[in-house]
Amino acid sequence: MNEINQKTSWEVHSSFCAKNTINPIRQIVDGLNLTPNKDKEVIPLSIGDPTVYGNLKLSSSVENAVLNSLQSNKHNGYGPSVGLKIARSAVATYVTPKVTAEDVVLTSGCSGALELCISCLANSGQNILVPKPGFSLYKTLSNARGIDVKLYNLIPEKSWEIDLDHLESIIDENTAAIVVINPSNPCGSVFSSSHIKDILKLASKHKIPIIADEVYQDIVFHDQTFHSMASLSDDVPILTCGGIAKRFLIPGWRLGWIVLHDRGDVFKPEIRNGLLNLSQAILGPCTLIQGALPAILGDLTNSCFEQVISLTEENAHLCFDQMSRIPGLRPIMPQGALYMMVGIEIEHFPGINDDRQFTEKLMEEQSIFCLPAICFQLPNYFRIVLTPPTEKMKEAMTRLQEFCETHYVD
């Protein structure tokens, strides 16, 4: 028997993964001093959950799809780790006729899709390129795996288009993937086909695959057109991530997907097998919702779609018009998704040092909760969510104007 040194005291340590799984948004928000004005009702404009206020209603067709799935008694057991074929086929049809069920992996929400893509494409010591500002989950998922995140700039003056020169300047021999968020969280931008083609040209030049986060693909304003990355790619292989959360008003149902858009068989067989292997760690998302997916995705007349888009667009115009007249603020009109980014001319607010203090003081005085954009790696902006009832948004704009006029110094 091998001798071991017997421990005299307990020593239990967390893993590298646990220590390095840090959500920047939660870290920042949990550290904020958020004490609302007790005389004013809190107006939360921080969380990208369209169900919070209850003003956007779940479609009866979606509800019935789940009830039928439950009552069929067919979807209570384990399914394949990549998802039930009927559900994957429904996603393939929904996304594009150019893919099949074999090109689809179902996941636990779009965040689960992103986790699988990053884990499959990059090793510890490699890097992925992520937009700035951008959703913080990419950093959380990557750093836990020893993968570096390099931030490329978006240009606010060009409706948050990618600074392609800067993007190219940070590519190196260890770059494993480029993440493109379109429509954007947190910016609400929707890229033109010409801009997407320029992104693809750069990726093709350097032979780097793209992770396309397109979970907001259906929430674009009426004067905009969404173009998927894959629909415009001739040779760049793309992993497209999406899900049912926002369009169908069911973020808590946690069903997302990866669609493999292979070009030149670059993903065969290694990436396909890799995604299969990784999917086996969770054994697929909820089979009850998978069973309902063909009916959910097949109802293209769902009235809640127009409800979500119309309210978001109406509130976007309202907020942009109001904030454009507020001293010290620089709103940037979104084109889709659920969000608007607002610049702060911080030099005109003495005693307020940055966006974090701005949002803290706004909560303290006016009971409005916005996210400081340092959560998205961009200082001196804040993000608002555009899905509350319009009357709430009007009240928020009135309070925001009062706040800025109180603190603004020319």
Side-chain angles (χ1 to χ4, degrees), residues 254-322:
R254 310 307 299 142
L255 196 142
W257 56 72
I258 303 166
V259 181
L260 292 90
H261 300 276
D262 208 350
R263 298 293 183 266
D265 289 341
V266 173
F267 285 152
K268 290 181 179 178
E270 192 167 344
I271 298 303
R272 290 177 180 271
N273 290 341
L275 289 172
L276 171 62
N277 293 344
L278 290 168
S279 74
Q280 291 171 348
I282 62 167
L283 297 177
C286 176
T287 52
L288 177 66
I289 306 303
Q290 289 185 59
L293 201 57
I296 293 173
L297 296 181
D299 181 13
L300 300 181
T301 63
N302 193 324
S303 61
C304 75
F305 302 160
E306 181 59 32
Q307 181 187 16
V308 174
I309 295 169
S310 294
L311 176 67
T312 305
E313 187 170 3
E314 179 184 350
N315 282 343
H317 283 289
L318 166 71
C319 294
F320 180 79
D321 291 344
Q322 293 283 334

Side-chain angles (χ1 to χ4, degrees), residues 73-344:
N73 206 33
K74 295 178 180 178
H75 307 300
N76 298 323
Y78 290 121
S81 64
V82 293
L84 298 172
K85 187 167 183 178
I86 57 165
R88 290 184 286 122
S89 295
V91 171
T93 301
Y94 181 73
V95 172
T96 173
K98 295 183 179 180
V99 297
T100 70
E102 303 310 310
D103 301 307
V104 177
V105 176
L106 299 184
T107 62
S108 180
C110 189
S111 59
L114 296 171
E115 180 177 8
L116 262 62
C117 289
I118 292 169
S119 299
C120 189
L121 290 179
N123 287 309
S124 176
Q126 290 187 292
N127 64 74
I128 63 171
L129 309 186
V130 173
K132 171 188 174 183
F135 190 41
S136 64
L137 184 66
Y138 308 103
K139 186 177 179 67
T140 301
L141 296 172
S142 299
N143 289 353
R145 291 155 179 77
I147 301 164
D148 294 328
V149 168
K150 300 174 77 172
L151 303 175
Y152 63 81
N153 294 331
L154 305 183
I155 307 171
E157 297 80 13
K158 292 187 176 181
S159 297
W160 303 107
E161 284 190 351
I162 295 173
D163 183 337
L164 294 172
D165 290 336
H166 183 247
L167 172 60
E168 185 166 26
S169 74
I170 62 174
I171 293 173
D172 62 26
E173 67 277 6
N174 291 317
T175 300
I178 300 171
V179 173
V180 178
I181 314 173
N182 178 47
S184 167
N185 177 9
C187 303
S189 56
V190 178
F191 291 157
S192 67
S193 60
S194 60
H195 187 54
I196 292 174
K197 288 176 183 177
D198 288 339
I199 300 166
L200 290 166
K201 188 182 299 183
L202 190 152
S204 176
K205 175 183 175 181
H206 294 277
K207 303 297 184 286
I208 300 173
I210 288 176
I211 300 173
D213 181 346
E214 297 180 353
V215 71
Y216 292 98
Q217 70 171 64
D218 298 305
I219 305 177
V220 298
F221 295 169
H222 292 93
D223 61 346
Q224 300 293 319
T225 301
F226 169 75
H227 302 278
S228 70
M229 297 289 296
S231 69
L232 299 174
S233 174
D234 294 324
D235 65 325
V236 177
I238 296 169
L239 296 178
T240 298
C241 300
I244 60 175
K246 306 304 170 85
R247 177 176 182 176
F248 294 94
L249 304 176
I250 43 178
W253 291 13
R254 310 307 299 142
L255 196 142
W257 56 72
I258 303 166
V259 181
L260 292 90
H261 300 276
D262 208 350
R263 298 293 183 266
D265 289 341
V266 173
F267 285 152
K268 290 181 179 178
E270 192 167 344
I271 298 303
R272 290 177 180 271
N273 290 341
L275 289 172
L276 171 62
N277 293 344
L278 290 168
S279 74
Q280 291 171 348
I282 62 167
L283 297 177
C286 176
T287 52
L288 177 66
I289 306 303
Q290 289 185 59
L293 201 57
I296 293 173
L297 296 181
D299 181 13
L300 300 181
T301 63
N302 193 324
S303 61
C304 75
F305 302 160
E306 181 59 32
Q307 181 187 16
V308 174
I309 295 169
S310 294
L311 176 67
T312 305
E313 187 170 3
E314 179 184 350
N315 282 343
H317 283 289
L318 166 71
C319 294
F320 180 79
D321 291 344
Q322 293 283 334
M323 286 190 283
S324 294
R325 296 192 288 269
I326 296 176
L329 298 186
R330 292 179 287 103
I332 298 174
M333 182 65 190
Q335 300 159 316
L338 306 177
Y339 313 103
M340 176 186 288
M341 288 283 275
V342 183
I344 309 166

